[in-house]
Amino acid sequence: MAPLAPRTGDAVFANVERVNAELFTLTYGAIVRQLLTDLEEVEEVNKQLDQMGYNIGVRLIDEFLAKSNVSRCIDFRETADVIAKVGFKMFLGVTASVTNWDPEGTSCSLVLEDNPLVDFVELPDTCQGLYYCNILSGVIRGALEMVSMKTEVTWVRDMLHGDDACELRVKLLKQVPEEYPYKDDD
Amino acid sequence: MIGAGKIKQYANVLDKPLSRGRQEVSLSAFAFLFSELVQYNQTRVDNIAELERRLEDAGYAVGARVLELLCHREKGNRRETRLLGILSFVHSTVWKVLFGKVADSLEKGTEHEDEYMISEKELLVNRFISIPKDMGTFNCGAFVAGIVKGVLDGAGFPAVVTAHFVPVEGQHRPRTTILIKFAEEVLQREARLG
């Protein structure tokens, strides 16, 4: 069978089933609220959101690869472009832009002008250390780990802290070649 | 420690124009998020009743906000004061906005005066959920029941709302019924209004 051409983010998004973004936003708000009530420490909530994102990411990557037909990325630059243009569009309905490449090409920024997770949200004074969208950093980390890239994702700008956009810094730590889980001679 | 803090106005979120509500995300993004919500709550409880309670609480918060949003946007700030009015608001407007279609049916309970049922062949939240046998009658629709409860409570119609599976002949998956049992005061008020 001839390989299918990779589809653009818009094409994939038009083909998947969609739900109202407000349901998504409000559900995410309910999750963060539950975490804050249970865990009480903002750091703990950040970690838990990251962990939840990681769990989502390791499953999300399968769906992403299946639906978007992207071919293997040659280098990290292409990976970042694919995440920003196809990945974000396919799931969240918004595209991100890739900026601020460092000279080695291992670290870049993903900038989201429009983030459905933070609609209607305001952070109170007591939660200023909260990375409300930390689930996104977990998703990226989890998804990339499943395609053999160990990364570190940190927040640079956050709309809820007064900035004009959400900016994530993605740094490639190392490429982990896939290990065969079973020993051949057993 | 989380306490009552003053809301700092950075870019005043209340000054931002309200979106038209047309933006969409993929169903799978919502499904992943919902599954994490359920999985997280499973680690915090010991039994099914508590799990349903927690999902309902999460839904309650969503419902309260949905009521405010829809009243302002769709109904021009008109309040529903009659029982049938609020039920049809939930069954049509709320369902249409949240799930993309009106609910399958709205029925009045035959045994009790204060019971009403909204039925759905397959709740959106249950699309990708399968319940293991040992969890018995647990229904993730408790989240939706919480949404309905939040809407009704906020509108001044306190009720007990639960979600149940109802097996249907000829269909492999049972359909889900949201059972709404209104409080005494609601029925009394309704009778007074004539």
Side-chain angles (χ1 to χ4, degrees), chain B residues 121-162:
Chain B
K121 186 161 159 233
E122 173 96 62
L123 275 181
L124 189 80
V125 302
N126 281 340
R127 267 287 281 276
F128 301 110
I129 306 260
S130 58
I131 314 283
K133 283 254 175 2
D134 58 352
M135 292 189 90
T137 54
F138 172 65
N139 189 340
C140 285
F143 182 69
V144 178
I147 296 182
V148 174
K149 184 165 194 288
V151 172
L152 291 175
D153 267 5
F157 292 84
V160 173
V161 188
T162 44

Side-chain angles (χ1 to χ4, degrees), chain A:
Chain A
M1 187 173 101
L4 297 162
R7 303 152 87 171
T8 61
D10 291 318
V12 185
F13 190 58
N15 272 326
V16 295
E17 280 190 59
R18 295 180 293 282
V19 298
N20 191 325
E22 283 161 0
L23 174 62
F24 182 73
T25 307
L26 291 173
T27 306
Y28 185 66
I31 292 179
V32 177
R33 234 188 335 271
Q34 260 195 344
L35 287 175
L36 282 169
T37 322
D38 291 340
L39 301 172
E40 291 184 359
E41 287 292 320
V42 160
E43 263 321 299
E44 284 297 317
V45 176
N46 284 338
K47 272 205 291 217
Q48 182 69 35
L49 280 175
D50 187 71
Q51 182 58 39
M52 285 168 100
Y54 182 83
N55 294 339
I56 292 180
V58 303
R59 295 160 65 197
L60 185 129
I61 185 72
D62 280 332
E63 182 169 348
F64 174 73
L65 292 172
K67 293 222 169 111
S68 66
N69 291 323
V70 293
S71 48
R72 203 176 186 82
C73 293
I74 308 172
D75 59 3
F76 193 57
R77 276 182 187 271
E78 211 183 317
T79 308
D81 266 334
V82 162
I83 295 177
K85 300 284 174 290
V86 187
F88 272 105
K89 182 72 191 176
M90 187 170 147
F91 290 104
L92 293 181
V94 294
T95 36
S97 49
V98 189
T99 55
N100 285 350
W101 277 103
D102 72 340
E104 291 114 48
T106 54
S107 191
C108 67
S109 284
L110 290 171
V111 181
L112 272 171
E113 301 282 323
D114 192 11
N115 187 349
L117 291 175
V118 303
D119 279 340
F120 316 132
V121 179
E122 208 168 17
L123 283 186
D125 279 349
T126 47
C127 302
Q128 285 301 317
L130 179 68
Y131 289 123
Y132 188 82
C133 309
N134 217 22
I135 209 168
L136 289 178
S137 62
V139 170
I140 295 178
R141 192 169 61 89
L144 286 178
E145 195 164 313
M146 289 295 116
V147 285
S148 329
M149 283 180 254
K150 265 190 115 52
T151 51
E152 192 188 331
V153 186
T154 45
W155 285 97
V156 177
R157 283 188 285 163
D158 192 346
M159 284 202 271
L160 297 176
H161 290 142
D163 301 310
D164 49 351
C166 288
E167 187 178 331
L168 280 162
R169 188 103 196 129
V170 184
K171 185 171 149 71
L172 175 66
L173 296 174
K174 59 178 178 165
Q175 298 256 20
V176 185
E178 276 192 38
E179 269 180 32
Y180 193 62
Y182 310 106
K183 288 171 69 101
D184 274 336
D185 37 353
D186 273 347

Side-chain angles (χ1 to χ4, degrees), chain B residues 35-106:
Chain B
S35 95
E36 280 304 313
L37 172 66
V38 177
Q39 283 180 57
Y40 167 73
N41 279 308
Q42 271 183 305
T43 63
R44 309 284 300 191
V45 300
D46 303 316
N47 56 59
I48 293 179
E50 250 186 86
L51 182 56
E52 281 198 346
R53 186 81 228 294
R54 286 184 67 106
L55 284 181
E56 211 183 284
D57 285 343
Y60 187 88
V62 176
R65 285 155 179 80
V66 160
L67 174 70
E68 295 287 332
L69 181 67
L70 293 184
C71 264
H72 176 74
R73 195 163 63 197
E74 311 274 333
K75 287 157 48 75
N77 290 323
R78 275 191 62 81
R79 244 177 10 108
E80 287 294 342
T81 48
R82 303 305 302 265
L83 197 68
L84 281 183
I86 192 67
L87 280 172
S88 88
F89 174 69
V90 170
H91 164 273
S92 318
T93 317
V94 175
W95 236 255
K96 184 107 217 303
V97 169
L98 290 183
F99 307 123
K101 58 183 266 296
V102 300
D104 284 347
S105 68
L106 170 65

